[in-house]
Amino acid sequence: MKTDLWKEMGVTYPIVQGAMAWVADADLASAVSNAGALGVIGTGHDPVELVQEKVEKMQALTDKPFAVNVMLLNAHVDDLVDYLCQSGVKIVTTGAGSPGKYMKRFKAAGIKVIPVVASVALAKRMAREGVDALIVEGMESGGHIGKLTTMALVPQVVDAVDIPVIAAGGIGDGRGMAAALMLGASGIQVGTRFVVAKESNAHPNFKEKIINAKDIDTVITGESTGHPVRVLRNKLTKKYLKLEHEEAAKDQPDWTKLEALAKGALKRAVVDGDVDNSSLMAGQIAGLIHQEETCEEIIQSYMQECRELIQQHASMN
């Protein structure tokens, strides 16, 4: 199960922790890395000084490999890349665009680059630009999503590129992991299940909403605006979807009304614990999550179930 990618990165288990805004801090990421998977620090729109604090805290908490996520729409992205290239960080994941303009600098600094993609076309473009692997994310995932499902998208990307593919979206246990590997993925990325990890600093109210979620409890907002987001249903989603429908029916929709409604909504969920007027970003696998566990327990659960299923499959042939 250990491909060259994981050996090169020094990661024991082929599992990446998602770079969830407000959730993927050094406490969670270090616990994931210390348990043998790849912890990832989320940076969002952070200025360089805050990213440096997070990285230095991470370096104090673990001597294992970890990654920093670079959100390419960050207004401070140029300064952030400058810092990362001299920070000692060896792996970055990227989102919201192409890291192409920074590839030479990342490579010169010995940094592996793994962007998140949601289409075959973008995967091909990233491969041409020289990235080391791809996180291929289906629309089952929480937060910002694309249009294709993981099961449909992953094998098409695997067929289209010659670099490792890490499957993401809808992979809630070892069964999903085994399925992703059978589709040609070299590993998986996990988000929602790590939100409820014991080491996660997400508010207990948010964790409880995920643990109690049913299969149909997520909804997609923002489809009309071209920026779809998967979240758990609550009072805010009801207001948002009503306003979105009203604006979409107009000749000239005013999407700024939606922006105002959603401003600060994720922080209200993760930090403040307001589960009614907030953005409870979570994937469709929320219905599979029934308890809070340590990162090590989560990772070992994935690995044990996946191994057993693959061994059962092999014994049938």
Side-chain angles (χ1 to χ4, degrees):
M1 198 178 288
K2 202 169 186 182
T3 66
D4 289 343
L5 171 69
W6 307 102
K7 290 179 181 177
E8 290 169 6
M9 294 194 300
V11 176
T12 303
Y13 303 119
I15 298 173
V16 178
Q17 163 240 314
M20 302 160 286
W22 294 103
V23 177
D25 58 15
D27 290 330
L28 176 61
S30 63
V32 171
S33 288
N34 285 331
L38 183 65
V40 181
I41 299 172
T43 62
H45 293 278
D46 291 348
V48 176
E49 295 77 16
L50 183 53
V51 175
Q52 183 174 350
E53 287 180 18
K54 292 181 177 181
V55 170
E56 289 176 353
K57 182 177 180 181
M58 187 73 177
Q59 291 168 333
L61 291 172
T62 185
D63 60 357
K64 305 293 186 182
F66 67 90
V68 174
N69 179 259
V70 178
M71 205 277 286
L72 293 162
L73 290 178
N74 186 340
H76 313 283
V77 65
D78 290 333
D79 292 336
L80 178 55
V81 171
D82 287 341
Y83 163 68
L84 290 173
C85 287
Q86 55 83 36
S87 67
V89 169
K90 292 302 180 186
I91 308 164
V92 300
T93 63
T94 68
S98 167
K101 67 180 287 189
Y102 305 112
M103 285 301 297
K104 286 184 179 179
R105 289 159 66 191
F106 280 139
K107 292 298 182 181
I111 295 175
K112 290 192 177 298
V113 182
I114 309 176
V116 177
V117 300
S119 71
V120 172
L122 188 55
K124 287 181 176 179
R125 177 183 169 188
M126 296 296 98
R128 288 195 301 269
E129 290 181 350
V131 302
D132 297 277
L134 297 166
I135 296 169
V136 177
E137 189 170 63
M139 55 94 70
E140 299 94 325
S141 61
H144 298 275
I145 59 173
K147 295 182 178 180
L148 294 174
T149 65
T150 302
M151 182 163 279
L153 180 60
V154 167
Q156 292 184 66
V157 174
V158 168
D159 289 348
V161 299
D162 294 323
I163 56 177
V165 166
I166 298 164
I171 305 172
D173 56 24
R175 294 172 296 180
M177 182 177 186
L181 297 178
M182 292 302 101
L183 293 174
S186 298
I188 62 169
Q189 177 173 277
V190 177
T192 306
R193 198 163 167 190
F194 281 126
V195 175
V196 301
K198 289 184 178 179
E199 297 91 344
S200 165
N201 290 318
H203 197 284
N205 293 351
F206 186 13
K207 292 184 179 183
E208 186 178 5
K209 290 293 288 187
I210 292 174
I211 289 170
N212 293 331
K214 300 188 295 293
D215 59 333
I216 59 171
D217 281 351
T218 67
V219 65
I220 300 172
T221 63
E223 285 188 286
S224 302
T225 69
H227 301 286
V229 177
R230 184 178 298 283
V231 294
L232 294 174
R233 300 174 190 272
N234 64 1
K235 289 181 180 178
L236 181 63
T237 63
K238 188 174 182 180
K239 292 179 186 176
Y240 191 102
L241 290 170
K242 181 176 183 294
L243 181 59
E244 181 180 344
H245 178 74
E246 292 171 353
E247 290 301 318
K250 297 178 180 178
D251 292 334
Q252 293 183 320
D254 182 4
W255 300 127
T256 60
K257 294 180 180 179
L258 292 178
E259 293 171 7
L261 193 60
K263 186 175 181 180
L266 181 58
K267 180 177 180 288
R268 291 197 293 273
V270 179
V271 179
D272 302 334
D274 179 352
V275 295
D276 294 320
N277 302 293
S278 62
S279 180
L280 300 166
M281 292 187 182
Q284 288 183 316
I285 62 116
L288 287 171
I289 300 172
H290 307 298
Q291 61 185 335
E292 191 179 30
E293 300 172 284
T294 67
C295 290
E296 184 170 8
E297 288 170 338
I298 291 169
I299 291 163
Q300 290 303 323
S301 172
Y302 273 97
M303 293 304 302
Q304 182 177 345
E305 186 173 25
C306 180
R307 284 192 185 109
E308 289 174 354
L309 287 169
I310 290 175
Q311 288 168 358
Q312 288 174 16
H313 176 78
S315 67
M316 294 170 62
N317 297 316

